[in-house]
């Protein structure tokens, strides 16, 4: 059988950069589902938080899997619930999302992920240093989803994840849009998929700052990363928009109203997924021209 996914070999030194954003990641899932239908694969992908989930499904070639993870009609299968929050004080059931889902409920094709040979890195934030780390794994299914879990573990929403001697949390705390890392990896062509609209900037003050300071007082570097995040993120967007104007990166972003990070309305999620898919259709030829230019 022809292995069309090897089209990634036609685009050397090309990278795919995937922003997070919780439920907004369903937009990215729509874009990537269309790209996979067209057998458009790039050799390198780096994802943050929800973008990390999209990244591994893209590399395994599982069209529709990320959508199924984000849009769950059976309430008993959902990866978050107020019942779980009242029982654990965390909104997300990370055991369900990163153990039951990939291993039982919404199976992840680890063999395909290994076979395809595309490089995937997921961004995590080290609690001790407050710095981003870019991790990957192609041998251990268990460790792969431990990294993915760490990349998605936002303060207040999920507990930190221990790997080796260190603890890690959401990669977006230290590097929300890792196009700089993709450039450092030698990728001269980069497709960046954002989950916020053009012109969006984070507010410099967050209502959760005081809570984070109290809960993570033993991790001052993490607290500093959280407090600096809006300025760092906004600076990343400033640079990215300049690079976009100069034709050095290709940015894909929503042009319709975005959903919230914890959006639970299935109709809104379906609509935002469709917006992502239709956006993929609309920009596909431009993406190919950019990659071949």
């Amino acid at each position: 059988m022809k292995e069309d996914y090897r089209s990634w070999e036609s685009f050397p030194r090309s990278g795919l950069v995937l922003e997070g954003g919780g439920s907004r990641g369903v937009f990215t899932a729509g874009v990537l589902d269309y790209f996979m239908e067209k057998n458009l694969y790039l050799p390198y992908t780096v994802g943050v938080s929800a973008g990390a989930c999209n990244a591994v499904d893209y590399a395994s070639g599982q069209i529709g899997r990320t959508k199924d993870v984000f849009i769950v009609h059976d309430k008993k299968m959902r990866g978050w619930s107020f019942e779980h929050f009242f029982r654990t004080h965390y909104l997300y059931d990370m055991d369900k999302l990163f153990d039951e889902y990939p291993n039982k409920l919404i199976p992840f094709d680890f063999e395909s992920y290994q076979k395809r040979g595309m490089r995937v890195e997921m961004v995590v934030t080290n609690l001790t240093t407050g710095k981003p780390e870019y991790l990957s794994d192609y041998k251990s299914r268990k460790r792969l989803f431990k990294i993915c879990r760490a990349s998605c573990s936002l303060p207040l929403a999920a507990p930190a994840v221990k790997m080796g001697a260190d603890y890690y949390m959401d990669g977006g705390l230290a590097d929300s849009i890792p196009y700089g890392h993709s450039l450092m990896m030698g990728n001269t062509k980069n497709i960046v998929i954002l989950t916020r609209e053009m012109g969006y900037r984070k507010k410099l003050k967050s209502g959760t700052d005081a809570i984070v300071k109290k809960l993570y007082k033993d991790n001052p570097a993490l607290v500093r990363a959280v407090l600096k995040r809006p300025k760092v993120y906004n600076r990343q967007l400033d640079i990215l928009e300049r690079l976009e104007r100069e034709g050095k990166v290709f940015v894909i972003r929503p042009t319709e109203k975005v959903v919230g990070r914890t959006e639970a309305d299935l109709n809104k999620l379906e609509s935002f997924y469709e917006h992502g898919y239709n956006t993929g259709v609309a920009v596909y030829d431009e993406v190919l021209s950019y990659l071949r230019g």
Side-chain angles (χ1 to χ4, degrees), residues 71 73 259 263-273:
I71 306 176
H73 292 270
V259 299
E263 181 60 66
D265 186 310
L266 299 184
N267 290 326
K268 289 181 179 180
L269 291 174
E270 286 277 2
S271 178
F272 204 46
Y273 167 83

Side-chain angles (χ1 to χ4, degrees), residues 22-38:
S23 295
R24 288 189 295 274
V26 77
F27 171 83
T28 305
V31 175
L32 294 182
D33 277 354
Y34 182 72
F35 284 1
M36 285 189 280
E37 287 178 9
K38 300 295 288 186

Side-chain angles (χ1 to χ4, degrees), residues 13 72 93 96 104 129 139 185 216 234 266 280:
R13 297 198 298 168
V72 181
D93 186 342
K96 177 170 285 185
K104 299 175 184 177
T129 67
K139 296 181 179 179
M185 296 298 291
Y216 298 95
N234 291 344
L266 299 184

Side-chain angles (χ1 to χ4, degrees), residues 67 86 88 99 104 115 134 166 173 181-182 221 232 264 283:
K67 178 188 179 185
F86 291 132
T88 68
D99 182 6
K104 299 175 184 177
K115 179 182 177 182
Y134 308 88
D166 295 312
L173 302 175
H181 180 71
S182 185
V232 172
V283 303

Side-chain angles (χ1 to χ4, degrees), residues 86-272:
F86 291 132
R87 188 172 68 250
T88 68
H89 303 297
Y90 292 113
L91 180 61
Y92 293 108
D93 186 342
M94 303 301 270
D95 288 336
K96 177 170 285 185
L97 289 171
F98 297 101
D99 182 6
E100 292 183 46
Y101 272 17
N103 294 318
K104 299 175 184 177
L105 300 177
I106 311 173
F108 175 74
D109 191 343
F110 187 65
E111 183 180 350
S112 177
Y113 177 80
Q114 290 176 305
K115 179 182 177 182
R116 286 166 173 258
M118 289 175 281
R119 180 162 188 171
V120 173
E121 290 189 308
M122 292 170 277
V123 189
V124 296
T125 301
N126 186 303
L127 263 67
T128 301
T129 67
K131 301 292 184 182
E133 295 182 20
Y134 308 88
L135 306 181
S136 57
D137 199 291
Y138 309 98
K139 296 181 179 179
S140 169
R141 180 190 188 99
K142 183 176 180 180
R143 186 171 183 272
L144 175 70
F145 278 96
K146 202 167 189 180
I147 296 170
C148 197
R149 175 174 181 156
S151 186
C152 295
S153 293
L154 270 172
L156 312 182
V161 177
K162 189 174 188 292
M163 290 187 288
D166 295 312
Y167 285 86
Y168 296 91
M169 296 201 81
D170 193 289
L173 302 175
D175 191 356
S176 297
I177 315 171
Y179 59 86
H181 180 71
S182 185
L183 288 169
M184 288 178 61
M185 296 298 291
N187 297 310
T188 56
K189 295 283 186 177
N190 286 282
I191 307 296
V192 180
I193 304 182
L194 302 179
T195 58
R196 288 285 195 177
E197 67 280 9
M198 180 70 172
Y200 170 80
R201 293 296 185 273
K202 281 190 180 297
K203 296 179 180 179
L204 296 184
K205 281 291 182 180
S206 169
T208 61
D209 285 357
I211 302 174
V212 169
K213 287 179 182 179
K214 182 177 181 180
L215 290 181
Y216 298 95
K217 62 181 183 297
D218 295 331
N219 303 106
L222 176 73
V223 172
R224 286 194 295 272
V226 172
L227 298 182
K228 290 192 306 180
R229 187 187 181 200
K231 286 186 177 180
V232 172
Y233 179 76
N234 291 344
R235 186 165 65 246
Q236 283 185 315
L237 285 174
D238 290 341
I239 296 171
L240 186 64
E241 289 175 10
R242 175 176 59 79
L243 294 174
E244 182 182 16
R245 289 192 299 270
E246 295 171 354
K248 295 179 180 177
V249 298
F250 192 101
V251 181
I252 301 171
R253 56 170 68 81
T255 56
E256 297 180 1
K257 184 177 180 180
V258 303
V259 299
R261 172 178 287 278
T262 57
E263 181 60 66
D265 186 310
L266 299 184
N267 290 326
K268 289 181 179 180
L269 291 174
E270 286 277 2
S271 178
F272 204 46

